[in-house]
Amino acid sequence: MKKLLALLLAMTMALALVACGGNGNGNNAANNGDVANNTTNDTTNNTGDIEDTGDTTAVTNPDDIPDSMTSEDGKYQVAFVTDVGQLKDKSFNQGTFDGVKLYAANNGLSYKYYQPANGNEATDDDRYDAMKAAVDGGADVVVCAGFLQEVALRRAAMDFPDTPFVFIDGYPLDDDPDPAVQGNILTNVAGISFMEQQCGYFAGYAAVMDGFTKLGFSGGGGGTNDACCRFGYGYVQGANAAAAELGITVDMNYSWEYGATFSASPELQTMISGWYANGTEIVFACGGSMFQSISAAASSNDGYVIGVDVDQSGESDCVITSAMKGLADAVQWAVGHVYAGTFDEIGGTGTSLGVADNAVALPTAEGSWRFETFTVEEYEDMYQKVLDGTLVVDDDFSKLETTEWSNLNLNII
């Protein structure tokens, strides 16, 4: 990715090579909301890894790095605690773990992933046990993926105050579990989130401009996951805006059914197959391993899919585009702060990454861009409008159901 986020990452990694490692627990966290202030619009091959950062790393393809390794001293310095679903989900878990592997491999560090017990039925205790195992295993930093980690992560951060935790799709945590009470901010937790509404908007706008008029959205987390909610809300805004420009009205099925655990299921595939059979042309598969059921339904019904989190074009010919966020880059940037001794700059704060950081986008590489009439140049023009503030995508997804969409019939299922 040719972007300033990657340049900052390179700088941080360079500092890490001369730093002495160890824990960067930080005390007085800086109120630093942005990673970078990008002034260019280079979105080509914005796939969420560090393939285009030049010579900053020796290994650029995370698939070339084994998922498991054996540490000579029995300690694993960079740890990853997975979200629900599969490690190799070709989406959120895998994109996050790619960042762990890339940073570790290119800095001579050991790494390990920990999956909470009981799979999709994991409890907060299961997640805490995985985090404790990571710390007991010698972790200098623990990367935790997904909003479901909150309760366990709060407990772990309090029990292990000298260990820095990176909370992907997360936010700052305090030491009081009561949301009505403001406790002391936990400075050893760095919350990293994304402006998913922006790339969701791009996907919805592009789909309608390319000729799709019967759309669908199938989201994970049962409607309780802010990231998925932002994706969906942006998608609706983009589709409505494009329809208004074209002077048409489009229809959209919108559902959280069968997505609470972000897993593939026969029930989800049956529902989406019904959508396609009744005229839906393209579905935004917004929920990790849910993609498998939705792409299977699309393949059986000559339908199309929009992927999420990473470029999923390689997973199915049905994928037209993907609403991506730079998971791997964000992880490397945050972990780099630990080894550079600057974790106090991000610990105890929330960092939200979007277009201004080149952290959300559609893939434009050859083979990934599969629109027939909507062009890369048109997309980049729209991207620039968001970058310079001419176009602002709303992030308040609570307004989804109360908004009267001018050119879109929203069918919430």
Side-chain angles (χ1 to χ4, degrees):
M1 297 167 69
K2 299 173 182 176
K3 52 189 180 292
L4 192 53
L5 175 58
L7 295 178
L8 290 182
L9 167 63
M11 293 170 62
T12 302
M13 291 176 70
L15 288 171
L17 293 174
V18 299
C20 59
N23 294 324
N25 57 319
N27 293 312
N28 299 317
N31 186 15
N32 180 16
D34 292 324
V35 174
N37 182 19
N38 182 44
T39 57
T40 65
N41 182 29
D42 186 356
T43 60
T44 303
N45 201 25
N46 191 352
T47 57
D49 56 36
I50 59 170
E51 185 173 356
D52 290 334
T53 58
D55 297 326
T56 58
T57 61
V59 183
T60 60
N61 184 356
D63 292 335
D64 292 338
I65 307 170
D67 293 332
S68 300
M69 67 169 296
T70 300
S71 169
E72 292 184 2
D73 62 3
K75 295 182 179 180
Y76 295 90
Q77 295 159 293
V78 187
F80 173 53
V81 177
T82 71
D83 194 11
V84 293
Q86 305 168 4
L87 174 71
K88 307 294 283 188
D89 60 2
K90 304 294 184 180
S91 185
F92 183 61
N93 271 332
Q94 186 167 343
T96 306
F97 189 42
D98 283 349
V100 169
K101 292 196 300 180
L102 284 165
Y103 189 90
N106 286 293
N107 288 279
L109 302 170
S110 55
Y111 59 93
K112 185 175 182 177
Y113 70 89
Y114 298 79
Q115 290 185 292
N118 298 312
N120 291 333
E121 303 300 322
T123 65
D124 292 329
D125 285 341
D126 293 329
R127 296 183 180 92
Y128 173 83
D129 289 344
M131 296 174 196
K132 183 177 184 301
V135 176
D136 290 344
D140 295 330
V141 55
V142 181
V143 178
C144 302
F147 77 115
L148 293 174
Q149 308 275 14
E150 177 181 339
V151 173
L153 180 52
R154 175 179 285 106
R155 177 183 169 193
M158 293 170 64
D159 287 351
F160 309 106
D162 292 330
T163 300
F165 293 84
V166 176
F167 189 10
I168 298 296
D169 266 10
Y171 28 79
L173 298 178
D174 61 36
D175 59 6
D176 196 311
D178 186 347
V181 178
Q182 177 62 61
N184 298 310
I185 294 295
L186 297 171
T187 58
N188 61 328
V189 177
I192 310 293
S193 63
F194 298 84
M195 299 179 188
E196 292 91 355
Q197 71 276 5
Q198 293 177 339
C199 52
Y201 185 102
F202 297 153
Y205 183 94
V208 172
M209 294 301 288
D210 202 56
F212 293 98
T213 60
K214 306 290 184 182
L215 296 83
F217 171 86
S218 180
T224 63
N225 181 310
D226 286 359
C228 288
C229 289
R230 288 191 291 267
F231 268 128
Y233 185 45
Y235 181 59
V236 174
Q237 291 178 74
N240 183 72
E245 285 188 32
L246 295 174
I248 62 174
T249 298
V250 300
D251 300 312
M252 183 184 296
N253 287 328
Y254 192 100
S255 177
W256 301 104
E257 291 289 329
Y258 310 117
T261 62
F262 300 88
S263 301
S265 70
E267 294 82 5
L268 176 61
Q269 185 171 336
T270 297
M271 182 182 77
I272 302 301
S273 290
W275 287 9
Y276 286 124
N278 286 293
T280 296
E281 301 162 326
I282 189 167
V283 176
F284 185 4
C286 186
S289 295
M290 292 169 64
F291 173 86
Q292 297 168 14
S293 294
I294 295 170
S295 62
S299 296
S300 299
N301 292 274
D302 296 323
Y304 296 95
V305 178
I306 295 171
V308 75
D309 289 337
V310 298
D311 181 2
Q312 295 187 305
S313 60
E315 302 309 305
S316 172
D317 292 338
C318 298
V319 175
I320 294 295
T321 190
S322 301
M324 304 183 305
K325 53 190 186 184
L327 291 165
D329 275 338
V331 168
Q332 293 175 88
W333 172 81
V335 172
H337 275 283
V338 174
Y339 288 97
T342 57
F343 188 78
D344 60 332
E345 295 178 2
I346 61 173
T349 70
T351 300
S352 182
L353 306 175
V355 162
D357 316 290
N358 266 326
V360 297
L362 302 183
T364 57
E366 184 177 354
S368 297
W369 187 268
R370 294 173 177 169
F371 293 113
E372 294 185 356
T373 58
F374 186 65
T375 67
V376 171
E377 291 73 22
E378 290 173 314
Y379 160 68
E380 291 181 340
D381 286 344
M382 177 178 55
Y383 189 99
Q384 183 64 38
K385 290 178 181 177
V386 177
L387 182 62
D388 64 24
T390 304
L391 171 60
V392 177
V393 184
D394 188 19
D395 65 352
D396 185 2
F397 52 81
S398 68
K399 297 187 292 189
L400 175 74
E401 296 187 45
T402 59
T403 299
E404 293 186 8
W405 301 101
S406 62
N407 292 72
L408 182 143
N409 296 320
L410 185 64
N411 178 33
I412 298 178
I413 298 170

